[in-house]
Amino acid sequence: MKPGAPDVYEEMVADRRYAGHGVRELRIVRTGSVQDRPRDEVEIAMAVGVLAGGSPVLSSRWDKNPLTLGHYELPRLVRLVEIGCADASHRILFEGTSEDAYALYGDPVEAALDRIIGGDAYRPGTDCGRCDAVAGCPAVPSVPGLLGIGRSDAHRRSWSVTTGRSYRRCPARAHLEDLLLPRDTAAEDSEAVVRGKAVHAWIESLHRRIPQRPCTPDDVPGPPEEWQYKKWSVTGLQARLGIQMIADHALVCPLRDRPEDAEVHPEETAAAYDPDANVVVLAKTDLLYRKNDRWFVRETKTARVPDEGNLLDQHPQLALAVLLAHTKVLPGNGHCRVELERLTGSGPVVTELDVTAADVVSEAQRVLAEYVTPWHADTRYPAKAGQACADCPFTRWCPDAADGNGG
Ligand SMILES: [Zn+2]
């Protein structure tokens, strides 16, 4: 395109195309099942609008020039189908005349397109591991040596504490996660794990309230013997313990005494690129916040009985937060404070880690190296078939999965 020429936007839908006898059909291939998959009305309206009025693309879609279009008769009937590869399920998302399709393509679609075109927000996440532009991305700072791995020719991958944990349980599982294969429903969580997730999600929802306000001891779910939040329901001892933990949180809530201009970012993803290891490191923080000119990151953990062992060994995400704060990936210019909030059966405890102390940083490096080094050096990802298969959502894809686990 000539310099100074106006931007040209082209709208295209792509997947399996079929046409004939006045009918145009697009089949969208999904990697999982389409049974019970939520409908995305904007996606459907956008697709059928283009199907009804668009022309077939003859040129390469990756070409930098405007698309070359063929001329075909406009259809009288448009059909949009999605196919689930995991179980051969299929569903007709739309079937109707071109007029019906145009009628669907209205304001919500235009608003969605405006957001895409005008969107200047970066959204670091798992896709960064496959992105060619990551080394120059303003949202993903480059930190050579972050993971303590010498220069390597390995292909680019992303790593998070979840990857590290999965790899420890079974290298194959970490690899299958990295391939983004569809998951089967995993085995049920224990009651304590469900309670932990429910408490976590409830506190997150309190921190997302607008206008922002600190949590109070009354901001608890109920009734005390049985409550549910999102998909997690708890009863009896775990229900009462969960309410106690949430009420306790109010005593140490980071939004207490906050100044007018405090910034609060629940569940913020921090990303960094280590060019030596060729790895994009991702960290989902529980809460990133600023009071006056000080930044803090807080991880919240729940346990009925707190473990008094080494905190960094127990919580590798804390070790990662220390390194990300120390290397200025987190805001605060190397002084972002890392806090651990433990909600226990005997009350709340908040511990702050000093990211400017050399021994804290070297301890964090040691903890992370134990997770990262074997993963990074592995090129085969052998399965540890057996116990690890019991709660693995990928046994269907794994030739080594232990019998009786859906493999
Ligand atoms: Zn709070």
Side-chain angles (χ1 to χ4, degrees), residues 228-260:
Q228 177 173 13
Y229 186 62
K230 294 194 171 163
K231 58 185 177 181
W232 300 288
S233 50
V234 282
T235 56
L237 167 71
Q238 296 298 349
R240 294 193 299 275
L241 184 59
I243 288 178
Q244 179 227 307
M245 287 170 165
I246 291 169
D248 283 353
H249 162 78
L251 302 172
V252 293
C253 177
L255 306 192
R256 285 173 315 144
D257 319 319
R258 76 199 193 296
E260 273 294 295

Coordinates of all heavy atoms in Angstrom, one line a residue, residues 228-260:
Q228 N -23.1 -21.4 47.2 CA -22.5 -21.6 45.9 C -22.0 -20.3 45.3 O -22.7 -19.3 45.5 CB -23.5 -22.3 45.0 CG -23.0 -22.5 43.6 CD -23.9 -23.3 42.7 OE1 -25.1 -23.5 43.1 NE2 -23.5 -23.7 41.6
Y229 N -20.9 -20.3 44.7 CA -20.5 -19.2 43.9 C -20.0 -19.7 42.5 O -19.1 -20.6 42.5 CB -19.5 -18.3 44.6 CG -19.2 -17.0 43.8 CD1 -20.2 -16.1 43.5 CD2 -18.0 -16.8 43.2 CE1 -20.0 -15.0 42.8 CE2 -17.7 -15.7 42.5 CZ -18.8 -14.8 42.2 OH -18.6 -13.7 41.5
K230 N -20.5 -19.1 41.4 CA -20.2 -19.6 40.1 C -20.4 -21.2 40.1 O -21.5 -21.6 40.6 CB -18.9 -19.2 39.7 CG -18.8 -17.7 39.5 CD -17.6 -17.2 38.7 CE -17.7 -15.7 38.4 NZ -16.4 -15.1 38.0
K231 N -19.4 -21.9 39.6 CA -19.7 -23.4 39.5 C -19.3 -24.1 40.8 O -19.3 -25.4 40.8 CB -19.0 -23.9 38.3 CG -17.5 -23.7 38.3 CD -16.9 -24.2 36.9 CE -15.4 -23.9 36.9 NZ -14.8 -24.2 35.7
W232 N -18.9 -23.4 41.8 CA -18.4 -24.1 43.0 C -19.4 -24.1 44.1 O -19.8 -23.0 44.6 CB -17.1 -23.5 43.5 CG -16.0 -23.6 42.4 CD1 -15.4 -24.7 42.0 CD2 -15.5 -22.6 41.6 NE1 -14.5 -24.4 41.0 CE2 -14.6 -23.1 40.7 CE3 -15.8 -21.2 41.5 CZ2 -13.9 -22.4 39.8 CZ3 -15.1 -20.5 40.5 CH2 -14.2 -21.0 39.7
S233 N -19.8 -25.2 44.6 CA -20.7 -25.2 45.8 C -20.1 -26.0 46.9 O -19.4 -27.0 46.7 CB -22.1 -25.8 45.4 OG -22.0 -27.0 44.7
V234 N -20.3 -25.5 48.1 CA -19.7 -26.1 49.3 C -20.8 -26.2 50.4 O -21.7 -25.5 50.4 CB -18.6 -25.2 49.8 CG1 -17.3 -25.3 49.0 CG2 -19.0 -23.7 49.9
T235 N -20.5 -27.2 51.2 CA -21.5 -27.5 52.3 C -20.8 -27.8 53.6 O -19.5 -28.0 53.6 CB -22.4 -28.8 52.0 OG1 -21.5 -29.9 51.7 CG2 -23.2 -28.6 50.8
G236 N -21.5 -27.8 54.7 CA -21.0 -28.2 56.0 C -19.7 -27.4 56.4 O -19.6 -26.2 56.3
L237 N -18.7 -28.2 56.9 CA -17.5 -27.6 57.4 C -16.8 -26.7 56.4 O -16.4 -25.6 56.7 CB -16.5 -28.8 57.8 CG -15.1 -28.3 58.0 CD1 -15.0 -27.5 59.3 CD2 -14.1 -29.5 58.1
Q238 N -16.8 -27.1 55.1 CA -16.1 -26.3 54.1 C -16.8 -25.0 53.8 O -16.2 -24.0 53.6 CB -15.9 -27.1 52.8 CG -15.0 -28.3 52.9 CD -13.6 -28.0 53.3 OE1 -13.1 -26.8 53.3 NE2 -12.8 -29.0 53.6
A239 N -18.2 -25.1 53.9 CA -19.0 -23.9 53.7 C -18.7 -22.9 54.8 O -18.5 -21.7 54.6 CB -20.5 -24.2 53.6
R240 N -18.7 -23.4 56.1 CA -18.5 -22.5 57.2 C -17.0 -21.9 57.2 O -16.8 -20.7 57.4 CB -18.7 -23.2 58.5 CG -20.2 -23.6 58.7 CD -20.4 -24.1 60.2 NE -19.6 -25.2 60.6 CZ -20.0 -26.5 60.3 NH1 -21.1 -26.8 59.7 NH2 -19.2 -27.5 60.7
L241 N -16.1 -22.8 56.8 CA -14.7 -22.4 56.8 C -14.5 -21.3 55.7 O -13.8 -20.3 55.9 CB -13.8 -23.6 56.5 CG -12.3 -23.4 56.5 CD1 -11.8 -22.9 57.8 CD2 -11.6 -24.8 56.2
G242 N -15.1 -21.5 54.6 CA -15.0 -20.5 53.5 C -15.5 -19.2 53.9 O -14.9 -18.1 53.6
I243 N -16.7 -19.2 54.6 CA -17.2 -17.9 55.0 C -16.3 -17.2 56.1 O -16.0 -16.0 56.0 CB -18.6 -18.1 55.7 CG1 -19.6 -18.4 54.5 CG2 -19.1 -16.9 56.5 CD1 -21.0 -18.7 55.0
Q244 N -15.7 -18.0 56.9 CA -14.8 -17.5 57.9 C -13.6 -16.9 57.2 O -13.1 -15.8 57.5 CB -14.3 -18.6 58.9 CG -13.3 -18.1 59.9 CD -12.1 -19.0 60.0 OE1 -12.3 -20.2 60.3 NE2 -10.9 -18.5 59.9
M245 N -13.1 -17.5 56.2 CA -11.9 -17.0 55.5 C -12.2 -15.7 54.7 O -11.4 -14.8 54.7 CB -11.4 -18.1 54.4 CG -10.8 -19.3 55.1 SD -10.5 -20.6 53.8 CE -9.3 -21.6 54.7
I246 N -13.4 -15.7 54.1 CA -13.8 -14.4 53.4 C -13.9 -13.3 54.4 O -13.5 -12.1 54.2 CB -15.1 -14.7 52.6 CG1 -14.7 -15.6 51.4 CG2 -15.6 -13.4 52.0 CD1 -16.0 -16.2 50.7
A247 N -14.6 -13.6 55.6 CA -14.7 -12.5 56.6 C -13.3 -12.1 57.1 O -13.1 -10.9 57.3 CB -15.6 -13.0 57.7
D248 N -12.5 -13.1 57.3 CA -11.1 -12.7 57.8 C -10.3 -11.9 56.8 O -9.5 -11.0 57.1 CB -10.3 -14.0 57.9 CG -10.6 -14.8 59.2 OD1 -11.4 -14.2 60.0 OD2 -10.1 -15.9 59.4
H249 N -10.6 -12.1 55.5 CA -9.9 -11.3 54.4 C -10.2 -9.8 54.6 O -9.3 -9.0 54.4 CB -10.4 -11.8 53.0 CG -10.0 -10.8 52.0 ND1 -8.8 -10.7 51.5 CD2 -10.8 -9.8 51.4 CE1 -8.7 -9.6 50.6 NE2 -10.0 -9.1 50.5
A250 N -11.4 -9.5 55.1 CA -11.7 -8.1 55.3 C -10.7 -7.4 56.2 O -10.4 -6.2 56.1 CB -13.1 -7.9 55.8
L251 N -10.1 -8.2 57.2 CA -9.2 -7.6 58.1 C -7.9 -7.2 57.5 O -7.1 -6.4 58.0 CB -8.9 -8.6 59.3 CG -10.1 -9.1 60.1 CD1 -9.7 -10.2 61.0 CD2 -10.6 -7.9 60.9
V252 N -7.5 -7.9 56.3 CA -6.2 -7.6 55.7 C -6.5 -7.2 54.2 O -5.5 -7.3 53.4 CB -5.4 -8.9 55.7 CG1 -4.9 -9.2 57.2 CG2 -6.0 -10.1 55.1
C253 N -7.7 -6.8 53.9 CA -8.0 -6.5 52.5 C -7.1 -5.3 52.0 O -6.9 -4.3 52.7 CB -9.4 -6.0 52.4 SG -9.8 -5.5 50.7
P254 N -6.4 -5.5 50.9 CA -5.5 -4.5 50.4 C -6.2 -3.2 50.1 O -5.5 -2.1 49.9 CB -4.8 -5.1 49.2 CG -5.6 -6.2 48.8 CD -6.4 -6.7 50.0
L255 N -7.5 -3.2 49.9 CA -8.2 -1.9 49.6 C -8.6 -1.1 50.8 O -9.1 0.0 50.7 CB -9.5 -2.2 48.8 CG -9.3 -3.1 47.6 CD1 -10.6 -3.1 46.7 CD2 -8.1 -2.6 46.7
R256 N -8.2 -1.6 52.0 CA -8.5 -0.8 53.2 C -7.6 0.5 53.2 O -6.5 0.4 52.7 CB -8.1 -1.5 54.5 CG -9.1 -2.6 54.9 CD -8.5 -3.4 56.1 NE -7.1 -3.7 55.8 CZ -6.1 -3.7 56.6 NH1 -6.3 -3.4 57.9 NH2 -4.8 -4.0 56.2
D257 N -8.1 1.6 53.7 CA -7.3 2.8 53.8 C -6.7 3.2 52.4 O -5.5 3.7 52.4 CB -6.1 2.7 54.8 CG -6.5 2.0 56.0 OD1 -7.7 2.2 56.5 OD2 -5.7 1.2 56.5
R258 N -7.3 2.9 51.4 CA -6.7 3.2 50.1 C -6.9 4.7 49.7 O -8.0 5.2 50.1 CB -7.2 2.3 49.0 CG -8.6 2.7 48.5 CD -9.2 1.6 47.8 NE -10.4 2.1 47.1 CZ -11.5 2.6 47.7 NH1 -11.5 2.8 49.0 NH2 -12.5 3.1 47.0
P259 N -5.9 5.3 49.1 CA -6.2 6.7 48.7 C -7.1 6.7 47.5 O -7.4 5.7 46.9 CB -4.8 7.1 48.3 CG -4.0 5.9 48.0 CD -4.6 4.8 48.8
E260 N -7.6 7.9 47.3 CA -8.6 8.2 46.2 C -8.2 7.6 44.9 O -9.0 7.0 44.1 CB -8.9 9.7 46.0 CG -9.9 10.2 46.9 CD -11.3 9.7 46.6 OE1 -11.8 9.9 45.5 OE2 -11.9 9.0 47.5

